[in-house]
Amino acid sequence: MSFSLSTTVVSLEGEQLYTFEYAAFVTETSIAIVQVYVELGVIEAIGSMLHRREIARIGQIQRLRQDLGLNLVGAAMVLDMAAEIAQLRAQLKAHQTYRSTVN
């Protein structure tokens, strides 16, 4: 399967955006699954386009569902918690760095 240039656009922020069709192809799912994920709020779309990070999230969800047998909600929760932990770790590190420079 090949894709034309119309499968990608550039956002106002200069980021590449991809069609649902492209996302379905690279994650080996279907357009219907991508649409369901958007409708359920598991991934965020900009109209009918997706950021690369959302496509990666689809792939991560698929792996969690296949490898660990998680349902869709469980897989989304695992990814959300992992992102929150990473954010908290970054904040803690920044706080520790700040404290070490102040003292």
Side-chain angles (χ1 to χ4, degrees):
M1 182 177 213
S2 66
F3 292 96
S4 67
L5 293 177
S6 64
T7 59
T8 61
V9 297
V10 177
S11 72
L12 296 175
E13 296 81 25
E15 296 179 358
Q16 194 103 18
L17 301 174
Y18 302 88
T19 63
F20 287 8
E21 292 84 1
Y22 178 81
F25 175 74
V26 298
T27 59
E28 299 178 353
T29 60
S30 68
I31 297 168
I33 288 176
V34 174
Q35 291 170 330
V36 167
Y37 286 10
V38 170
E39 290 168 9
L40 294 175
V42 175
I43 60 170
E44 295 180 26
I46 300 171
S48 62
M49 304 297 285
L50 299 169
H51 283 279
R52 182 181 305 266
R53 67 181 170 268
E54 299 302 319
I55 296 172
R57 185 172 167 92
I58 293 169
Q60 292 168 330
I61 289 169
Q62 293 299 101
R63 281 190 298 282
L64 287 169
R65 295 186 75 192
Q66 292 168 359
D67 296 348
L68 300 179
L70 298 178
N71 64 22
L72 178 58
V73 174
M77 286 178 65
V78 166
L79 293 178
D80 291 344
M81 286 189 290
E84 188 172 343
I85 289 168
Q87 182 181 21
L88 290 171
R89 283 183 177 159
Q91 289 173 350
L92 178 61
K93 185 174 183 175
H95 179 72
Q96 290 170 334
T97 301
Y98 171 76
R99 284 188 55 137
S100 69
T101 59
V102 172
N103 293 332

